[in-house]
Amino acid sequence: MFFEPPSAQEEATRPPKPELPAWYAPPAEEMGATMTSDLLLARTQNVAITLPTIRAFSTGCLLDVDIVMRRRSLPPDDFQALQMSVFPHMISSVSARGLPDNLLRFGVRFADGTKATTVGQRFDLARLPQDPPSVPRLSWLFGGMSLRSGGDEEGFLTVGLWLWPSPPPETFELGVEWPSAGIELSIATLDGAAIVSAAERSVPYWPDPPPGG
């Protein structure tokens, strides 16, 4: 054979894949309780960013964000650059000197001034610490392109923003900014109390059997 599978010894010595820490993403075996939001976070001639739903879990909440793009009068290269800049791991110039205009960023701010943003996150899952951070975290979870009717001059992407831990039971702010897309800082208000209440309805996919069952 030209291509051969790894030997049993090589397979046995391969280091185990690290688990995804609980603070980074929703719990795998929990369904979450869906809340309808239907918020328009920002809109320009070429981009609309919406928050159609929020899913509340026992450990945090997942903000389901839709990013919709259309080319209109943009040159094809500019539209392609706009589509590529949706993915933060493609932006390499984030540093202490300032944020690049093509970096799409999200953040939350609570009533006491505490903030959590997607700026400066690492996307190397193998290097994530297992211990939870000491401050709230807003993690960018990659979604995927969703099929919608239309042609090559439209684009649609769903991303998840995982807020850990659950927000305080009071109103808080969700902000988005994307200068190269013409989106200045836009802030919407979310109901933390409603999210905390919804989390009580989240159930596991496979409930434990009753004792003696």
Side-chain angles (χ1 to χ4, degrees):
M1 293 178 61
F2 187 91
F3 296 103
E4 299 179 2
S7 66
Q9 180 180 1
E10 182 180 350
E11 187 73 20
T13 57
R14 185 176 301 170
K17 183 179 179 181
E19 293 186 0
L20 200 61
W23 55 265
Y24 186 79
E29 296 191 357
E30 192 174 319
M31 188 180 303
T34 301
M35 305 168 52
T36 301
S37 170
D38 291 334
L39 278 176
L40 176 65
L41 302 178
R43 180 169 57 194
T44 68
Q45 182 72 9
N46 301 98
V47 177
I49 301 178
T50 67
L51 179 68
T53 56
I54 300 171
R55 282 179 281 175
F57 295 80
S58 60
T59 54
C61 66
L62 185 64
L63 310 178
D64 297 311
V65 174
D66 287 343
I67 304 169
V68 188
M69 293 163 284
R70 61 181 185 178
R71 189 168 78 84
R72 303 286 281 188
S73 59
L74 282 177
D77 288 348
D78 290 351
F79 184 57
Q80 184 180 30
L82 179 69
Q83 290 178 302
M84 294 303 294
S85 66
V86 168
F87 303 96
H89 67 290
M90 301 292 290
I91 312 299
S92 59
S93 56
V94 178
S95 69
R97 295 188 298 272
L99 301 179
D101 287 344
N102 61 342
L103 177 67
L104 169 60
R105 51 260 200 181
F106 294 92
V108 297
R109 180 168 59 190
F110 301 120
D112 65 358
T114 301
K115 292 191 298 183
T117 77
T118 59
V119 173
Q121 291 189 11
R122 291 183 179 273
F123 294 93
D124 183 358
L125 300 184
R127 298 173 60 188
L128 288 174
Q130 292 295 315
D131 293 335
S134 59
V135 293
R137 166 88 180 204
L138 187 66
S139 300
W140 181 298
L141 306 183
F142 290 108
M145 302 297 275
S146 299
L147 290 177
R148 294 284 182 100
S149 59
D152 294 338
E153 296 192 349
E154 292 83 27
F156 183 91
L157 181 74
T158 296
V159 301
L161 300 176
W162 171 245
L163 176 60
W164 176 94
S166 296
E170 56 192 4
T171 58
F172 65 99
E173 296 175 327
L174 170 64
V176 59
E177 188 177 49
W178 195 6
S180 66
I183 295 176
E184 299 180 355
L185 178 60
S186 300
I187 295 177
T189 300
L190 302 182
D191 187 345
I195 294 174
V196 171
S197 177
E200 298 176 357
R201 305 195 304 272
S202 182
V203 297
Y205 289 109
W206 297 281
D208 294 331

